[in-house]
Amino acid sequence: VQLQASGGGLVQPGGSLKLSCVVSGFNLGSYAIGWFRQAPGKEREGLSCISPTDSSTYYARSVRGRFNISRDNAENTLYLQMNSLKPEDTAVYYCATVMSYGPGPSDWDFRSWGQGTQVTVSS
């Protein structure tokens, strides 16, 4: 199982970025998968996940309405469109498989992840 996130960078407040996560070693359509982030000195924060069956999506309150998760099973790629970015969104972002999921971050059990991608929101 390999997951590789990319697409991070430096963006001004209010800007947008689209992260990608290419997976290998498993069929993306067979697993729930999601994103979390880790900022220096802060706990890991679950952001979003998408179910494998009906592609239901779930978001943390901090990003709901600003971030959008999607998947392309044919390309084995997961995406995270991030809009209206804020300085507090600065972190390393990771994509990960999710073993159990539900409507909120406390329901998400992230299991496997790879290298993350740095997102910095600053003027």
Side-chain angles (χ1 to χ4, degrees), residues 3 18-23 26-35 48-59 68-81 96-98 101:
L3 303 96
K18 187 172 185 177
L19 305 184
S20 300
C21 173
V22 177
V23 307
F26 67 99
N27 184 349
L28 181 61
S30 299
Y31 288 86
I33 193 165
W35 294 91
S48 181
C49 71
I50 184 168
S51 73
T53 51
D54 61 358
S55 291
S56 295
T57 57
Y58 307 95
Y59 297 93
N68 184 68
I69 190 172
S70 61
R71 64 200 296 165
D72 185 336
N73 291 342
E75 296 294 327
N76 253 16
T77 302
L78 176 74
Y79 301 100
L80 186 68
Q81 176 68 48
T97 58
V98 179
Y101 60 94

Side-chain angles (χ1 to χ4, degrees), residues 36-45 47 87-94 117-119:
F36 67 87
R37 66 188 178 190
Q38 182 89 56
K42 294 187 178 180
E43 292 186 357
R44 188 176 74 184
E45 180 185 12
L47 302 175
E88 51 264 43
D89 293 318
T90 296
V92 179
Y93 285 66
Y94 300 84
T117 185
Q118 175 72 47
V119 172

